[in-house]
Amino acid sequence: MGALCGFRDTWDSFSDRCFGHFPCLSDPVRRATLGLKVALVMLHVVYAGVLFIINKDLVEKTRQEPWYTAMYLSLFIVTLAQYFITSGSSPGYVLDAMRAVNEAGALSNRMSVASKQPASSKNGSVVITIDQSKVGRDLLDSNATSWTKLVMDMYPHGTSVRTVTCTYCNALQPPRTKHCQDCDKCVLQFDHHCVWLGTCIGQGNHCKFWWYISEETALSIWTGILYIQYLKSNISKPWWIYTFVILLLAVLFVCLVFLLLLLLFHSYLVLTNQTTYELVRRRRIQYLRGIPERVFPFSKGACRNLYDFCCAPSNIYRMEPLPTAREIEEKSRPYTCLDILSCRCCC
């Protein structure tokens, strides 16, 4: 019993010392996120390392055709880099957008600069240009009318301010916004909270997330092909090596199926300008209840949706107003042969 108490005291002392040098580890949520990131990196290293340790043919091919291995390793590094870039990027928090709008409103009130308007409206979408060097936390509550007017203009006339105010952040939520319980922040165009990334997926990093799962899918397919080639050319190897490789290949196949389904699902969301939250909770979201199931209220056509998703600058918050009844009626209209010829679904 004394030995157990002594071990516990030693462990507590060691933990306090670690938390003193690394304050971020004192939070259990951050420790869990860091553990998942380490596990994901180690999983990649194990799969790539086993290939080069047991596959002598791959080592020989590397000597003869170094470009092949260089391409594989490049994809390996790019995938891990994209993972950390996505996990460290902001999903687009409402409080950050509110500070930016209030700062822009304060600047426009002080100086009249006609050449650079902080907010503009084009084709029903509000575009806000952000200058990160001029955004301060002390401006959160100053000039709040700029943000209030901007948000309320996106809702139908007569909407109450209390209806669209987040009870946690005490901030007005633009359409397509949701408060994330894990991050404890409101996220613009909230998609979902990714446990593996340790962050929300929203307007600011959805494109990065799509590229990450695309690269991860390509890397998994390439790794699976290399493992299958090893099994086909090394049948006479010891049984335990053969069994170990088959187990790794089986786990990789399960992950690959999940990644392919995830990639196809998010590609569909991009082309229709939807989010996972809107698709799954459509009947519970107030502004989507009266809209038919197969109507995508925020879609501007597949081509325009894809362009906005891929080519929107990272320093711009895009907030879309709710569609009018006339726009919903137009989008509910069935497709005809003439609509197909005129590419109505694309524009």
Side-chain angles (χ1 to χ4, degrees):
M1 191 70 179
L4 181 61
C5 292
F7 173 76
R8 182 179 300 174
D9 293 338
T10 304
W11 174 255
D12 292 340
S13 177
F14 175 75
S15 300
D16 294 338
R17 187 177 302 175
C18 289
F19 296 158
H21 292 289
F22 304 98
C24 61
L25 297 180
S26 60
D27 186 1
V29 177
R30 290 188 177 182
R31 287 203 302 270
T33 301
L34 180 61
L36 286 174
K37 290 182 179 180
V38 172
L40 187 68
V41 173
M42 291 304 299
L43 191 63
H44 284 75
V45 172
V46 166
Y47 269 94
V50 167
L51 272 176
F52 288 94
I53 292 174
I54 67 176
N55 195 347
K56 305 302 180 183
D57 295 337
L58 180 60
V59 176
E60 185 63 27
K61 187 174 183 179
T62 301
R63 295 172 181 172
Q64 298 176 358
E65 301 176 351
W67 60 267
Y68 183 84
T69 305
M71 290 178 61
Y72 176 79
L73 293 178
S74 298
L75 180 60
F76 179 87
I77 295 173
V78 167
T79 301
L80 287 181
Q82 186 68 31
Y83 169 77
F84 285 105
I85 290 173
T86 306
S87 64
S89 60
S90 171
Y93 295 117
V94 169
L95 292 181
D96 294 337
M98 185 169 68
R99 293 187 189 103
V101 171
N102 291 339
E103 169 68 6
L107 288 175
S108 62
N109 288 336
R110 286 193 221 117
M111 13 166 111
S112 168
V113 183
S115 59
K116 183 181 180 180
Q117 292 293 337
S120 61
S121 178
K122 183 178 181 181
N123 295 333
S125 298
V126 177
V127 179
I128 305 169
T129 304
I130 303 303
D131 187 352
Q132 295 291 349
S133 62
K134 297 178 181 178
V135 178
R137 295 183 61 86
D138 57 336
L139 294 169
L140 177 61
D141 296 324
S142 65
N143 195 24
T145 54
S146 299
W147 176 255
T148 303
K149 184 178 184 303
L150 187 65
V151 172
M152 296 310 297
D153 285 344
M154 300 179 188
Y155 288 94
H157 181 70
T159 303
S160 172
V161 175
R162 294 183 60 183
T163 306
V164 295
T165 301
C166 176
T167 56
Y168 299 97
C169 299
N170 197 25
L172 291 180
Q173 291 182 329
R176 313 189 72 184
T177 301
K178 182 184 180 298
H179 184 89
C180 176
Q181 299 294 340
D182 298 287
C183 298
D184 197 24
K185 293 181 180 180
C186 290
V187 179
L188 295 170
Q189 290 189 24
F190 175 84
D191 190 88
H192 70 285
H193 183 88
C194 183
V195 178
W196 286 100
L197 289 169
T199 186
C200 278
I201 304 300
Q203 181 195 89
N205 59 359
H206 198 178
C207 182
K208 297 183 181 70
F209 176 76
W210 188 90
W211 278 110
Y212 165 66
I213 57 178
S214 300
E215 294 160 5
E216 193 73 75
T217 302
L219 181 64
S220 300
I221 293 174
W222 200 340
T223 304
I225 292 174
L226 292 176
Y227 271 93
I228 292 174
Q229 289 176 349
Y230 171 80
L231 291 175
K232 291 174 62 177
S233 60
N234 295 273
I235 300 180
S236 59
K237 290 292 181 180
W239 66 269
W240 63 271
I241 296 181
Y242 207 74
T243 304
F244 178 66
V245 173
I246 290 177
L247 288 175
L248 288 178
L249 191 59
V251 174
L252 182 63
F253 176 77
V254 174
C255 295
L256 180 58
V257 171
F258 173 76
L259 285 170
L260 281 172
L261 293 176
L262 188 65
L263 180 61
L264 292 174
F265 176 69
H266 279 274
S267 299
Y268 166 74
L269 294 179
V270 171
L271 293 176
T272 55
N273 195 9
Q274 297 184 90
T275 64
T276 302
Y277 173 68
E278 290 174 342
L279 185 65
V280 174
R281 299 295 184 91
R282 181 159 184 149
R283 295 184 179 180
R284 297 187 180 182
I285 300 176
Q286 184 176 6
Y287 59 83
L288 294 178
R289 287 177 184 172
I291 300 176
E293 289 289 337
R294 298 187 178 274
V295 176
F296 314 121
F298 298 102
S299 177
K300 307 178 187 69
C303 296
R304 178 63 186 276
N305 293 337
L306 189 61
Y307 175 81
D308 291 343
F309 181 80
C310 297
C311 303
S314 58
N315 63 336
I316 289 182
Y317 294 107
R318 302 183 315 277
M319 292 182 286
E320 302 168 290
L322 294 178
T324 63
R326 183 176 181 180
E327 291 173 339
I328 294 297
E329 183 180 357
E330 178 66 22
K331 293 177 181 180
S332 305
R333 183 169 56 87
Y335 284 91
T336 62
C337 296
L338 185 60
D339 291 330
I340 297 175
L341 293 175
S342 61
C343 298
R344 175 190 161 195
C345 61
C346 297
C347 55

